[in-house]
Amino acid sequence: MSISRKDVEHVALLSRLEISEKEAGVYAKQLSEILSYMEKINELETSNIEPTAHVLPLNNVFREDKVEQSLAREEALKNTPDTEQGHVKVPKIV
Amino acid sequence: MNFEAVIGLEVHAELKTKSKIFCSCTTRFGGEPNTHICPVCLGLPGSLPVINRRAIEYAIKAALALNCKIAPHSKFDRKNYYYPDLPKNYQISQYDLPLALDGYLEIELNGKTKRVRITRLHLEEDAGKLIHGGASISRADYSLVDYNRTGVPLIEIVSEPDMNSPEEARAYLDQLKAILQYTEVSDCKMQEGSLRCDANVSIRPRGSAELGTKTELKNMNSFKALQKALEYEIERQTEVLEENGTIIQETRTWDEREGVTLPLRSKEEAHDYRYFPEPDLVPLSIDRKRVEEIRAGLPELPQARKKRLIEDFKLPEYDAKVLTLSKHMAEYFDSCVKETGDAKLVSNWLMGDFSRLLNSRGMEVEDSPVPPKEMAFLLKLIKTNKISGKIGKKVLEEMFETGKGAQTIIRDKGMEQISDEKTLIPIIEKVLEVNAKTVEDYRKGKERALGFLVGQVMKKTKGKANPELVNKLLKDRL
C-alpha cells in the first residue's frame, strides 16, 4: 500500500493541518511503510471471525435519561477566545 | 421531452428524551445561549460520552412503526468535519451498522396508495446553532454559535428515491411526521427545527429506468417550503436539460425569500468524512425480546386510526385523513365526539373554523387556547339550536381571542339564539308589513323572495333568530 504526497496533502487539508512540502514527502513515506507493515495482517484467515467493533469485551453500556446540572455559562465559555452576547464568536466560515 | 422527477428524502427528527444522547444536559428548546452544555457535549479533553438508554428505545420504536428491521448489532461512528456547529470537530453518528434498515411507509394521494421504501434509520447527535453576522453566510463577517442543541438525540431517516412529484414528497413527510408523533418519540415541530428535511432530486425522461444526476436540497423549513423548493428545482433541471445542458451534482440551498434554489459554495461541503468506529462508546447488541416488547407496545398508527374514523363515524375519507395526520387533532376530535355525539358536526368545525383560527396564529392543536371540552360545549349549543352556526363562528373567535368559555361570551354579548315565538312574531310581522312588495312576489310563486324575508328578520335580530323557526313562522303567514 502506498500513500502519495497528494494523499497526504488531501488529508492534511481535511484535518486543517499546515504542513510543508518537505513534511508531505516524509509523511508519505512513513505512512506507506506503516500501512505496508499492517498489510501483513491481511494474510490471516478471518472469514469465520466476526469483525471487532471495539477492543473492550463489552456492549450496551447505558445511562438513564436523567437531566443533571449543566456548566455555568461563564465556566463553559472561559476558554473561548471571543464571545458576544453569550455566544461563541467565530471568524467568517465561508 | 416529457420528464419525470425522482425524489428521495432525508429527514432528521429530534427525539424527545429529557437529556441529551451522550450526556445529562437538558434537551429543552431555547434557553439562554450556551447554558445547556457540559464537558461532554463540548468535547473537552478527558470527557467521555455514555449512551442514553431512552434514545435507543425511542429510535427502535420509531423504526418499528416505520416497518424497519432492527439490526442485531449496531455501533456508533465518528463523522469528521471541521465546522463550528460542533465543538468536537466530529459528529457521533452511525455509518455502516445503522440501528435499523429496510422499512417503508404508505402514502395516499388522489385515492391511490403508494409504498415508499425506507433505506435506513440511524441515531446521531444534533449540532449547534449558527447565527451569521450578515445577510447570508457568505456575506457574514463572523458567526455566533449557541451549543445548546449540540448532543440532542436525532434520528435520520433516509428514503429510497421512490417519490415522483413534490406532492408525493409532501405526503411522505406528512405521514412520517404523523407516525413519529403518534409513537411519541418526537414533537416534530418544523418551526422549532425538531423536524428537518433534505431532498435528493433528479429528473429523467418518462419511462426511463436510469437515474439522472441529482442535486441535494437543504434549508427547507416548512412543508410548504419543501414543496415549493422541489417544484422550483424540477423546473430548473428540466430547463437545463431542454437547453442541452448538464446537471451538476451539488448541494443547493432553498432561498425562501427569493423562491429559488442556489448552489452552496463547495467549501461548505466536504463529503470526505473519514468515518471510523467511535472508540469512546462500546457497541450495541439489541435484545430481541425487548424489541418485541416495544413492538407490542406500539400505539394505533395514523392509517389505522383513519380507517377507524371512516368505519365508526362514516366520515368521508378526506375528513378522516386530515383529522388523523396529527395525533393531537385526532384526540381532540375524539373527545369532542364523545361529548356531542355528532362526528360530522365536529369534523366540519375542526377542519374549518378551528383549523383556520389555529393557522392564523401559527399554532398547533396542542397549543389551542380552547380545550376540547369547551369546543364540545359550543358545538352542543349549535346542535340544539341555542345559537346559530354564524353566531357560533363569532363565539369561537372570541374564545380564541380571550380564552373565555362559550357560555360566558354568549351571556356577556347577548348572543343567545332567539327561539321564542313571542319575541319573533312581532318582528316578523313588522318585516312583512314593510316588505309588502316582496310578499306579493312570493305569493305569485317567486320562491326566492322567502330568502330575502328571512334575511331581513335575521338582520333585525342581529343574526340571533333561529332560522328554522323564522322560516316556519314566515311560511305560516304567507
Side-chain angles (χ1 to χ4, degrees):
Chain A
M1 181 101 189
S2 140
I3 297 282
S4 68
R5 183 185 281 268
K6 226 175 133 192
D7 292 330
V8 173
E9 279 163 3
H10 178 61
V11 174
L13 174 71
L14 290 175
S15 305
R16 303 295 185 270
L17 292 173
E18 211 176 323
I19 54 170
S20 68
E21 226 170 283
K22 195 179 153 216
E23 284 171 316
V26 173
Y27 293 141
K29 188 166 168 284
Q30 289 182 344
L31 288 167
S32 297
E33 279 168 14
I34 292 166
L35 285 175
S36 305
Y37 180 63
M38 295 301 285
E39 284 217 331
K40 220 175 162 48
I41 291 177
N42 283 342
E43 292 166 17
L44 291 172
E45 164 61 37
T46 56
S47 55
N48 287 319
I49 297 173
E50 279 214 29
T52 304
H54 201 279
V55 291
L56 296 176
L58 276 177
N59 57 35
N60 298 349
V61 176
F62 297 125
R63 42 171 274 275
E64 295 309 316
D65 184 23
K66 227 178 91 196
V67 175
E68 277 165 40
Q69 189 64 46
S70 297
L71 284 177
R73 184 156 76 189
E74 308 74 65
E75 191 77 15
L77 299 182
K78 215 156 94 186
N79 295 325
T80 311
D82 202 358
T83 61
E84 191 177 299
Q85 294 161 4
H87 290 83
V88 177
K89 192 171 176 183
V90 298
K92 189 174 168 60
I93 298 168
V94 288
Chain B
M1 201 189 284
N2 194 356
F3 289 103
E4 159 185 76
V6 178
I7 302 164
L9 295 185
E10 271 176 35
V11 174
H12 287 90
E14 283 182 355
L15 298 178
K16 54 178 192 188
T17 53
K18 295 190 182 73
S19 63
K20 292 185 177 178
I21 183 167
F22 301 124
C23 66
S24 307
C25 289
T26 178
T27 56
R28 199 155 33 80
F29 177 73
E32 284 293 303
N34 293 312
T35 53
H36 304 164
I37 53 178
C38 75
V40 175
C41 45
L42 286 176
L44 297 188
S47 63
L48 285 172
V50 186
I51 303 168
N52 181 340
R53 184 195 302 273
R54 185 170 282 149
I56 304 285
E57 299 240 324
Y58 278 4
I60 291 175
K61 199 172 173 189
L64 290 173
L66 295 168
N67 305 297
C68 290
K69 297 187 182 78
I70 309 298
H73 303 286
S74 185
K75 68 172 166 76
F76 286 95
D77 299 277
R78 282 190 188 179
K79 177 180 179 177
N80 298 281
Y81 69 91
Y82 285 74
Y83 200 69
D85 64 353
L86 270 174
K88 298 202 292 280
N89 289 336
Y90 59 84
Q91 178 191 30
I92 304 180
S93 179
Q94 297 196 289
Y95 184 52
D96 55 341
L97 291 175
L99 188 70
L101 289 160
D102 258 347
Y104 65 85
L105 62 74
E106 278 171 352
I107 55 172
E108 276 164 61
L109 212 62
N110 309 321
K112 277 193 209 134
T113 304
K114 178 170 181 174
R115 185 173 281 201
V116 178
R117 292 167 298 161
I118 289 165
T119 319
R120 58 185 274 159
L121 179 150
H122 75 246
L123 265 164
E124 61 189 29
E125 58 182 336
D126 207 346
K129 217 184 274 173
L130 298 174
I131 304 161
H132 305 298
S136 69
I137 181 166
S138 47
R139 267 176 277 169
D141 299 324
Y142 62 91
S143 296
L144 299 178
V145 199
D146 173 9
Y147 288 117
N148 282 352
R149 204 176 61 183
T150 302
V152 170
L154 276 184
I155 45 175
E156 177 176 322
I157 302 151
V158 183
S159 87
E160 291 286 314
D162 284 350
M163 291 155 275
N164 299 109
S165 68
E167 293 74 26
E168 285 187 4
R170 161 111 200 224
Y172 170 87
L173 192 60
D174 268 335
Q175 192 62 30
L176 181 59
K177 177 185 169 184
I179 290 171
L180 295 178
Q181 276 186 339
Y182 273 58
T183 45
E184 292 181 333
V185 301
S186 175
D187 286 331
C188 294
K189 290 190 175 170
M190 277 189 111
Q191 69 275 22
E192 288 182 7
S194 64
L195 184 76
R196 307 197 283 275
C197 177
D198 299 337
N200 287 309
V201 53
S202 62
I203 59 170
R204 64 183 173 196
R206 199 169 290 280
S208 159
E210 239 171 274
L211 289 171
T213 305
K214 67 178 178 191
T215 57
E216 190 185 352
L217 303 185
K218 287 185 178 291
N219 195 34
M220 297 159 295
N221 299 322
S222 66
F223 284 83
K224 221 190 231 161
L226 169 71
Q227 197 165 339
K228 283 200 307 208
L230 284 170
E231 278 163 12
Y232 177 88
E233 182 61 14
I234 291 164
E235 204 177 294
R236 186 190 72 83
Q237 292 190 9
T238 307
E239 271 170 31
V240 170
L241 290 190
E242 274 173 349
E243 282 159 19
N244 293 318
T246 29
I247 311 280
I248 302 161
Q249 182 161 353
E250 63 187 350
T251 303
R252 299 176 70 89
T253 181
W254 170 243
D255 185 323
E256 178 79 44
R257 216 175 31 185
E258 301 293 325
V260 297
T261 66
L262 299 168
L264 275 175
R265 282 170 55 177
S266 60
K267 228 172 141 185
E268 275 172 65
E269 224 207 329
H271 267 321
D272 198 342
Y273 292 127
R274 295 150 294 142
Y275 283 97
F276 62 85
E278 169 57 66
D280 288 344
L281 292 169
V282 296
L284 299 168
S285 167
I286 309 295
D287 177 13
R288 299 321 291 177
K289 223 181 91 208
R290 184 68 196 124
V291 170
E292 289 317 310
E293 277 169 22
I294 295 173
R295 193 196 303 276
L298 282 179
E300 182 183 40
L301 294 175
Q303 270 180 322
R305 190 149 194 168
K306 181 182 126 189
K307 232 178 174 174
R308 187 162 60 85
L309 290 199
I310 296 172
E311 280 164 12
D312 291 1
F313 302 120
K314 309 277 171 289
L315 282 188
E317 167 123 19
Y318 178 77
D319 295 29
K321 183 173 150 187
V322 173
L323 291 171
T324 52
L325 270 181
S326 146
K327 182 180 194 172
H328 298 285
M329 181 63 107
E331 275 164 5
Y332 200 102
F333 171 81
D334 274 358
S335 12
C336 286
V337 172
K338 220 172 173 185
E339 297 272 332
T340 61
D342 191 337
K344 189 60 194 156
L345 177 76
V346 173
S347 156
N348 287 346
W349 277 81
L350 292 191
M351 288 171 54
D353 286 84
F354 181 72
S355 292
R356 181 179 56 80
L357 290 167
L358 283 176
N359 289 340
S360 67
R361 287 166 172 75
M363 279 177 169
E364 303 278 343
V365 180
E366 56 271 36
D367 313 320
S368 164
V370 179
K373 246 197 149 71
E374 279 298 328
M375 184 73 194
F377 185 81
L378 174 70
L379 294 179
K380 272 193 282 186
L381 293 179
I382 295 166
K383 192 174 155 68
T384 53
N385 283 323
K386 296 266 179 357
I387 58 170
S388 68
K390 218 170 165 183
I391 296 280
K393 280 171 190 273
K394 282 188 194 151
V395 175
L396 185 59
E397 235 162 272
E398 279 285 318
M399 289 164 80
F400 263 83
E401 204 60 55
T402 61
K404 285 184 194 157
Q407 185 86 26
T408 317
I409 292 166
I410 291 165
R411 197 192 50 221
D412 289 358
K413 305 222 158 184
M415 286 165 138
E416 255 148 27
Q417 178 148 296
I418 308 170
S419 294
D420 168 24
E421 295 194 11
K422 271 189 215 123
T423 318
L424 287 177
I425 288 171
I427 300 169
I428 284 171
E429 280 173 353
K430 179 91 185 151
V431 166
L432 292 175
E433 199 185 302
V434 179
N435 296 285
K437 172 94 177 38
T438 318
V439 172
E440 210 170 300
D441 286 348
Y442 179 77
R443 288 189 176 132
K444 277 183 192 153
K446 202 171 157 195
E447 289 277 341
R448 269 193 308 162
L450 181 66
F452 175 77
L453 294 171
V454 173
Q456 291 302 305
V457 178
M458 296 310 280
K459 211 170 149 189
K460 286 256 180 317
T461 57
K462 297 199 176 80
K464 289 188 290 183
N466 177 343
E468 274 165 47
L469 187 60
V470 172
N471 243 304
K472 181 183 160 284
L473 292 175
L474 272 170
K475 274 188 179 163
D476 289 349
R477 278 161 187 76
L478 285 165

